[in-house]
Structure formats: structure tokens, C-alpha cells
Amino acid sequence: MSLKTSIAASWAAHAVTLLVGFFLVPLVLSRLGDENYGVWVFVNSVVGYSGILYLGFGPTVCRYVAHHRARDEWDEVNRVVSSVVAVYLVSGTVVVLLALGFAAVAPWIDRWGTVPISQVQIALLILGVNLALGMVGSVYGGILHAAQRFDLVSLVQGITALVRLGLTIALLQANYGLLILAGIFLAVTLVENGLTAWLAHREVPSLSLGRRWITRSVLKECFGFSAFTALRWVSVQMIYMTDTIVIGLVLGPKAIVPYYVGSRLVQMIHQPLEKIGDVVLPAAGVCHAKNDGAELARLLARGMQATLLLAGGFWIGAAYFGERLLTTWMGNEQSWSMSTTVLLILLAAQLVAQPTMIIRQVLTAVGRVRMQALLDMSQAVLNLGLSLALIHWFGIVGVAWGTLAPMVVIDLFLLLPYGLRALEIPAAPLLRRVIAPVCLPLALLWCYCECVGQFHLPDGWLAILAVTAGGGAVVGASALTLEWLERKSRAPASDASQLTAEATV
């Protein structure tokens, strides 16, 4: 599949997931109430920390399977997959034991409000089993990513999103809300794992799992690579899970809700942009396997440009219409101004995080993970420290600033220059090719939002969808026009060749 087709397939599935998420968040909140919903988010965040036992093998599967598949080394594919499945069986067992331990000490944690402690304990156990099963199933998802079959991955995501929606509407009630939600998560994981495993075996008919494929040399190679991707995973968990845990421990579960509403919307925006990185990773791995540095540089430039354009567009739209969106989404029973502030701060972080995420994926594809893992851990520690300090002065808004500040410092001033040096790509011409084409579309979008903001818009989703469609048309038309003009005016040389030529001038 081409880059554009792969991204389009990923976005199609995300559109379904986004619509389902938009509907489910207010539905679940209305049925559970602020306190119960806060407890659910808190429990999920705590269990989510067990995700460190993924040990970074997700990118490992994608990188090595893509590499060996490009060379038709099918026995090596079986060795990598079987070895990672074996590791995840052990990790999954540890996750279940940790869930048992946390359930045992849950009565001594005074953060459950009126939720019965027995429900909290059972929900913790179910979520632990769910995470363990998800670990093993993720290997098959890694195979489909490595094969660049994002259409199949998107199909599974769309089906599981609809299953989650149907089960939640049919089953969720306030009395046993935590248990029902945990059970729904487990059921959806089983459906997702079954579909993904079947599709992976169809895509790679020679795929075989078994002890005979597990070798010490493959395990050593995978662990050597995964040690640093695991460190990155721990860092991501700390960055994205720590916020709600800090708020829950310092201010209580109820205070999580306004922060979570803003951050949940950012996650919905973040996910389609993350799909671009998911597409870039296996494509970059193929380029590396074929020693095609020119195509690798072109891939990096295109990915960074696309993510910067989209992240900038989302931030401008949220600056003008964010509070209206949140009020329409969640209802006007309470003010969402605090959530809007959190939304804007966290979206500003995405302006930095998304383009540098493309650099991370390319570095992972070529095996350069050590330095970025250390930088990510530094960012996570700074995030935790700032969040703990600023929450006492600025409340949940201080936690949002504690996420933004380390990201700007680490990603822009350390990761970006390191990544370009490691990939041997000249910085100045690359950044010109990334930044210059997005300036006009974003400026036109700003003018569009300013003009529309002068009018008194009616309440409801129809007005929001109309404004969003208009903004998307402005950005899309201007970006496509600029791309067409560039193609008409430039020589047949590739983008990567131009980067090299500009660097030598």
C-alpha cells in the first residue's frame, strides 16, 4: 500500500473510533456520575502502568518482521514472532499477579469514594487479565503493521469500536458500572485478538509459532533492541498516565473529570496523527533494509510536514471553538472552561510532539533507540516533578503545563538535532521543507476562524460540523494547491535529492 492509502485506511477506522468515543464519554459519565467515572479513570491509569511489561517488543516485532519480510526470510519471521509471544506469556502472568497484589491493598487506599471496594478489586483483576491477553494479541497486530496492511488493521479497529459501543449501550448501569466496563474491555480484547490472529495468518501463510522457533540468539537480539524501546514505553506511560494519577492522589478522583475531558479530546486528536507515525515505521524499515537513504529522507520530511499541518490546524480550531465543542459534547450542566484551558495547553504540546514523533519512528526503524529512550525518560521525570509542584499552585492547569514544558525542551532542543545528525539529514533544508508549506494553510485557517467567530452561531452539532468542514476545506484546498504548484515548478529530482542539494549550496 502507498503512504497516502495506508494513512487513509488508518484514518477511516479512526473516524469510526472517534465517533464511538465522542458518544461513549458523555454516556458513561452520565450513567456513572463524576465520582464513579473518576474512580474508573484512576483504576485504568494505575493498571495501565503494568503496560511497562510490554518491554518495548511492539516496535521490535514491527521492525524485525518488516526487515525479514522484505528479504523473504520467513524462518526468521517465525523465530522473532515465537520468541516475542513466549516473552509476552511470561509478562502477562506477571501482570495478573500484580493485579492480584494491587487488589489486595486497594482497601488501604482511601480514594474510592462511595464505590464498593469489592467492585474496585474485581475490576482490577479483570483489567489485569485484559492487559495480559492484549499483550499476546498485540504480536499479531505487529505482523500486520510490518506487512503494511493498514486496511486490515483498520477493519479490526472499526469492528471492535462498534462492539464496544453496542455492549456499553446495552449493558452499562450505575450499580455495577466498574465491573461492566471492565467486562466490556475484556470482551472487546478477545474479539480483537481473534480477528487479528486470523488475519495475520492469512497475510503470512508460512507463519508458525512453537518452541522450536525460539532461539537464544533471537531473544538476545530482540531484548537488546527492546531494552531501549521498553524505556521509551515506560516514559510514555509516565507522561500520559501520571497526570490523572497525580490529580487523583492530590485532589481526589472527582477532580480528574475536568482534566480527563480535555485530555481525552486531545487523545482523540492525537490518535489520527499517530497513525501517520505507525505507517512511517514499517516503510522506513523497508527503506533501511534496502539501503535507500533518499527515500528515507523523503519519508521523514513528508511525515513531519503532515503532522505539523494537522496539529496546527487542530490547535487553531480549538482556540476559537474549543469551549463550544466541549459544551456541546458534554452538556452545559457545568462549565467546561477549565477543560478548555487544559485542551489548549495539551494541544500546544502536540505541535511539538507530533513532528518529532515521526523522527522517533524513523530512528526506531533504523535501530537508533538508545538516545531517544534516555531523552524520553528524562522528559517523563521532568513531567512528574513539574506536575507534582505545579498542581499545588495552579491545580489541574498546572499539571497540563507540567506536560508541555518538558516536551518543548527535550523534543525541540535535544531530540530534533540528535535525530537529524543520526540520520545524516541536513537540518536547515529539511525544516524549510517541513515548515514553509504549512504557513499559508494555517494562516488562511486562522483568518477563516476569525471571520466565522464574528457571527453568532447556533448551538448544536450541526453548526460545529459545518465550521469544521469549512476549516478543513480551507486547509485542504490551500495545501493541495501549494503541493500542485511545487510539483509544476520543481525539477524531476526527488525531495531527498533536493535536501542534499540545498545543504551543499
Side-chain angles (χ1 to χ4, degrees):
M1 299 178 69
S2 69
L3 183 65
K4 289 183 178 179
T5 304
S6 298
I7 293 173
S10 297
W11 283 357
H14 181 69
V16 176
T17 306
L18 182 66
L19 291 174
V20 170
F22 251 84
F23 181 79
L24 283 182
V25 171
L27 172 67
V28 174
L29 180 58
S30 64
R31 290 194 182 181
L32 296 187
D34 283 5
E35 185 175 60
N36 285 13
Y37 190 63
V39 169
W40 169 249
V41 175
F42 183 69
V43 167
N44 257 299
S45 299
V46 171
V47 174
Y49 265 107
S50 298
I52 64 176
L53 293 173
Y54 270 92
L55 301 174
F57 278 102
T60 301
V61 172
C62 188
R63 177 181 185 266
Y64 283 106
V65 171
H67 182 87
H68 294 307
R69 186 174 178 273
R71 299 183 175 187
D72 293 327
E73 298 170 347
W74 302 110
D75 285 353
E76 293 302 320
V77 169
N78 290 334
R79 291 187 180 94
V80 169
V81 173
S82 296
S83 299
V84 175
V85 167
V87 172
Y88 276 164
L89 287 173
V90 176
S91 296
T93 303
V94 175
V95 167
V96 174
L97 293 176
L98 288 174
L100 281 168
F102 193 77
V105 303
W108 285 271
I109 301 175
D110 186 23
R111 279 292 180 267
W112 311 122
T114 59
V115 180
I117 190 62
S118 59
Q119 288 193 30
V120 173
Q121 291 173 310
I122 297 173
L124 284 166
L125 293 176
I126 295 174
L127 290 175
V129 172
N130 175 70
L131 184 59
L133 292 175
M135 284 182 173
V136 178
S138 69
V139 177
Y140 295 105
I143 294 170
L144 293 179
H145 276 93
Q148 301 186 55
R149 290 304 307 268
F150 297 98
D151 53 337
L152 299 181
V153 174
S154 300
L155 175 65
V156 173
Q157 291 174 345
I159 291 173
T160 53
L162 294 175
V163 170
R164 179 179 288 110
L165 174 63
L167 291 176
T168 304
I169 293 174
L171 301 177
L172 185 61
Q173 54 180 298
N175 291 339
Y176 300 98
L178 259 67
L179 298 182
I180 292 171
L181 284 175
I184 290 172
F185 269 50
L186 179 59
V188 169
T189 297
L190 291 172
V191 171
E192 182 177 13
N193 285 359
L195 286 174
T196 307
W198 177 64
L199 291 171
H201 279 280
R202 283 178 60 89
E203 182 63 27
V204 185
S206 61
L207 181 63
S208 174
L209 301 181
R211 290 182 59 183
R212 66 190 180 96
W213 295 113
I214 302 173
T215 64
R216 180 174 298 180
S217 60
V218 172
L219 284 170
K220 183 178 179 180
E221 184 178 12
C222 289
F223 269 107
F225 182 82
S226 298
F228 295 101
T229 54
L231 190 59
R232 284 192 59 206
W233 175 261
V234 173
S235 304
V236 171
Q237 294 296 95
M238 289 180 65
I239 292 169
Y240 290 103
M241 298 291 187
T242 294
D243 291 352
T244 52
I245 291 178
V246 167
I247 294 170
L249 291 175
V250 176
L251 302 179
K254 193 171 182 178
I256 295 175
V257 174
Y259 186 91
Y260 181 76
V261 168
S263 65
R264 184 71 182 95
L265 190 55
V266 173
Q267 290 172 15
M268 292 180 182
I269 293 170
H270 165 82
Q271 287 167 357
L273 302 184
E274 192 177 46
K275 301 299 182 185
I276 299 175
D278 291 342
V279 171
V280 166
L281 176 58
V286 172
C287 293
H288 181 60
K290 296 180 178 179
N291 296 315
D292 191 350
E295 179 63 19
L296 189 68
R298 187 185 70 86
L299 193 65
L300 176 64
R302 291 179 64 194
M304 291 181 68
Q305 182 188 118
T307 52
L308 180 61
L309 176 63
L310 293 171
F314 283 127
W315 190 91
I316 292 171
Y320 280 90
F321 306 107
E323 188 164 1
R324 173 186 288 270
L325 172 61
L326 289 174
T327 301
T328 305
W329 180 31
M330 301 302 299
N332 56 8
E333 290 80 8
Q334 57 180 299
S335 172
W336 297 106
S337 58
M338 192 71 74
S339 297
T340 304
T341 303
V342 169
L343 170 66
L344 291 175
I345 295 172
L346 295 181
L347 276 179
Q350 295 303 308
L351 284 169
V352 176
Q354 292 305 317
T356 53
M357 175 266 297
I358 302 297
I359 295 179
R360 283 183 167 89
Q361 297 291 57
V362 174
L363 287 171
T364 300
V366 303
R368 302 294 292 268
V369 292
R370 182 192 301 267
M371 180 56 70
Q372 60 168 322
L374 296 176
L375 292 176
D376 286 345
M377 180 54 68
S378 300
Q379 179 181 323
V381 172
L382 286 172
N383 181 12
L384 176 60
L386 282 175
S387 296
L388 287 171
L390 296 178
I391 192 173
H392 295 287
W393 295 333
F394 305 107
I396 63 173
V397 173
V399 176
W401 282 113
T403 299
L404 171 61
M407 194 169 292
V408 171
V409 173
I410 298 294
D411 281 18
L412 282 187
F413 298 105
L414 296 176
L415 177 66
L416 178 60
Y418 162 75
L420 296 183
R421 284 197 306 270
L423 296 170
E424 299 181 347
I425 296 175
L430 174 72
L431 294 179
R432 282 198 297 270
R433 289 196 61 80
V434 170
I435 296 173
V438 308
C439 291
L440 179 60
L442 292 181
L444 291 175
L445 177 63
W446 196 294
C447 294
Y448 165 82
C449 291
E450 183 66 31
C451 292
V452 173
Q454 302 302 315
F455 296 95
H456 178 71
L457 299 174
D459 295 330
W461 282 110
L462 186 60
I464 290 177
L465 292 174
V467 171
T468 302
V474 169
V475 172
S478 56
L480 290 174
T481 300
L482 287 175
E483 183 178 355
W484 179 78
L485 290 173
E486 182 184 7
R487 287 179 178 175
K488 293 285 288 185
S489 62
R490 73 186 181 187
S494 67
D495 292 355
S497 298
Q498 289 186 13
L499 289 178
T500 305
E502 290 178 32
T504 60
V505 173

